[in-house]
Amino acid sequence: MIRSIIRGYGAALPKRVMTNQDIEAIVETTDEWIVQRTGIKQRYIAGEGETTSSLGELAARAALENAGIQPDEIDLIIVATSTPDNTFPATAVNIQNRLGITSGFAFDVQAVCSGFVYAMATADLYIRGGMARRVLVIGAETFSRILDWTDRTTCVLFGDGAGAVVLEAGEGEGKTSDRGILTSNLRSDGSHKDKLYVDGGPSTTGTVGHLRMEGREVFKHAVGMITDVIEAAFEATGTTADDLDWLVPHQANRRIIDGSAKKLGIPNEKVVITVDQHGNTSAASIPLALAAAASDGRIKKGDLVMLEAMGGGFTWGAVLLRW
Ligand SMILES: CC(C)(COP(=O)(O)OP(=O)(O)OC[C@H]1O[C@@H](n2cnc3c(N)ncnc32)[C@H](O)[C@@H]1OP(=O)(O)O)[C@@H](O)C(=O)NCCC(=O)NCCS
C-alpha cells in the first residue's frame, strides 16, 4: 500500500525576538505571570517585509533542501494558515510562485491551530489517492498582525513563524512498522466558534479584525479533546502510549501539553516543547517543533511520532506517523 513518508523538514522564524520583558512595556503583565500560566518566555514577531508567504517560502526552501529535491518536483502545496497575505489568492499559490513552480496545484487549509494536522491528513489522502506524489505541507502564520496589542489576555500568547515538511509517496505493507502516516483523526464542533475567533472578515465587517478568546473556556475543553483524538489514533492502529517515541503537540500552552501527556501516561522526556521559545504560532507550531527535534537528532528514522492540535472552531485532530 502507499504511505506518505516525511522526506524533509524545514523551519523559519522572523528576525525579531520579543521577550516577556519586552511585553511588560506594552501591557500590564509580568514575566512571572506569563511563564507560570503558559510556559512562554519569548516569541518571534514579523517585521517589515516579513509575511506569512515570505516565512512559508523560507521554511519550504529549507524542507526542499533537507529532502534533497528541487521545487519543480513538488506536485501539490498545502498551506495551513489563518493569517494569509491576502483574502485571496491562497497563500499557497503565493508561495508556489515564490518557489518558481508553475506546475501542479496549491491551496490553503483553514483550521486555525489544528491547521497543520488537517493539512497533513489532506496531503495523505491526495498521495494515497494517487493525485500527488510529492507534497509540500506548510504551516505559516503572522498572528502578531491580528492581535489586539492592548489586550493582555491574548497578546502575550502568540507569535509568528513557519514550518514545512515534504511528504512523498512510498511503499508500505499496511503494518504499524511502515514508515509514513499511519492514521489521521480529525474533529470539529462549531458550537464553540465564539470562544476563539477573529472579530472581522471580508463578508461581515469588511475588515481583518482582531483575535478574541475566552481563555478559560478554551482551557477547559483542550485536554479532553486532545486526549480523545490521540486515543482514537492508538485504537485505529493497535498501538499504545508505550509504543510512542515522541509526542509533538501543538504549542499553545505548557499546562495544556503537560495535562494531556499526563492523562495519556506519556512521560515528559518524550514530549517536544518549543512553546517557551516560540509562543503559540498556531498552524506553524507543530512543523516548527518537528524541525527542532529532528534537526537536533531527537527524532530519528523509524520513531513513532504523534502530532496533535486543538484550536479555534473548535477544531482538533491527531496524526500518528513513523518517521
Ligand atoms: C489564557 C490563560 C493563560 C489565562 O490563564 P487563567 O489562569 O485561565 O487566567 P484567567 O483568565 O482566569 O485570569 C486570571 C487573572 O489574570 C489576569 N490576567 C489575564 N491576562 C493577564 C496577563 N497577561 N498578565 C497578568 N494578568 C493577566 C486576569 O485579568 C485575571 O485577573 P482577575 O482575577 O483580577 O480577574 C489560560 O486560560 C489559557 O491558557 N487558556 C487557553 C488558551 C489557549 O491556549 N488558546 C489557544 C488555543 S489554540
Side-chain angles (χ1 to χ4, degrees):
M1 69 178 289
I2 298 172
R3 292 287 194 191
S4 309
I5 300 170
I6 294 186
R7 176 154 167 188
Y9 56 84
L13 291 160
K15 292 184 191 73
R16 180 177 166 215
V17 176
M18 187 185 276
T19 64
N20 290 348
Q21 284 78 14
D22 294 333
I23 290 205
E24 285 175 5
I26 302 172
V27 288
E28 202 182 323
T29 190
T30 59
D31 172 53
E32 193 193 356
W33 190 95
I34 300 171
V35 172
Q36 197 216 341
R37 305 280 174 133
T38 71
I40 298 167
K41 294 177 184 149
Q42 61 166 50
R43 72 287 292 142
Y44 291 79
I45 301 293
E48 209 180 319
E50 289 178 318
T51 59
T52 297
S53 68
S54 79
L55 294 168
E57 177 197 357
L58 290 175
R61 286 194 185 280
L64 290 167
E65 196 183 325
N66 182 257
I69 66 170
Q70 297 302 314
D72 63 6
E73 294 179 79
I74 292 292
D75 25 52
L76 167 60
I77 301 172
I78 305 179
V79 175
T81 189
S82 300
T83 46
D85 285 24
N86 300 86
T87 302
F88 76 80
T91 301
V93 296
N94 196 330
I95 294 174
Q96 181 191 32
N97 182 51
R98 283 169 173 272
L99 294 172
I101 303 172
T102 52
S103 56
F105 59 115
F107 60 87
D108 288 359
V109 160
Q110 217 287 44
V112 205
C113 296
S114 309
F116 189 75
V117 166
Y118 270 58
M120 288 288 275
T122 306
D124 182 40
L125 288 174
Y126 276 94
I127 288 174
R128 287 193 291 118
M131 275 183 79
R133 247 189 83 67
R134 292 198 187 91
V135 185
L136 248 179
V137 185
I138 304 167
E141 303 278 17
T142 46
F143 260 53
S144 65
R145 305 246 155 90
I146 55 163
L147 293 176
D148 174 354
W149 285 96
T150 66
D151 175 13
R152 69 176 183 173
T153 68
T154 53
C155 76
V156 304
L157 303 173
F158 296 90
D160 303 333
V165 298
V166 174
L167 279 178
E168 186 177 58
E171 273 301 310
E173 293 176 358
K175 297 180 182 162
T176 55
S177 55
D178 290 351
R179 289 187 69 208
I181 293 178
L182 303 175
T183 189
S184 302
N185 290 270
L186 305 181
R187 308 266 171 83
S188 67
D189 179 354
S191 68
H192 298 289
K193 69 182 176 56
D194 297 333
K195 296 187 175 99
L196 176 49
Y197 70 104
V198 169
D199 63 3
S203 159
T204 49
T205 58
T207 62
V208 172
H210 290 113
L211 183 148
R212 305 292 172 204
M213 180 173 68
E214 292 175 36
R216 230 175 298 181
E217 279 296 309
V218 177
F219 198 96
K220 203 171 81 188
H221 289 89
V223 173
M225 288 176 163
I226 289 163
T227 50
D228 199 37
V229 280
I230 290 178
E231 274 163 358
F234 283 141
E235 205 178 302
T237 51
T239 55
T240 69
D242 290 340
D243 300 316
L244 211 58
D245 294 294
W246 295 103
L247 173 66
V248 185
H250 166 51
Q251 310 281 321
N253 182 308
R254 184 71 204 239
R255 288 191 295 155
I256 294 174
I257 295 172
D258 289 350
S260 308
K262 192 171 170 207
K263 194 170 166 197
L264 291 159
I266 301 169
N268 284 340
E269 315 81 83
K270 290 186 175 183
V271 184
V272 177
I273 301 284
T274 51
V275 69
D276 54 333
Q277 298 299 305
H278 301 160
N280 181 348
T281 58
S282 190
S285 89
I286 292 175
L288 277 168
L290 276 178
S295 61
D296 68 17
R298 273 178 288 170
I299 300 180
K300 295 182 194 67
K301 190 174 170 181
D303 279 357
L304 192 63
V305 182
M306 181 76 77
L307 316 180
E308 61 82 353
M310 180 263 184
F314 291 146
T315 55
W316 64 108
V319 168
L320 183 65
L321 61 90
R322 195 168 293 284
W323 194 260

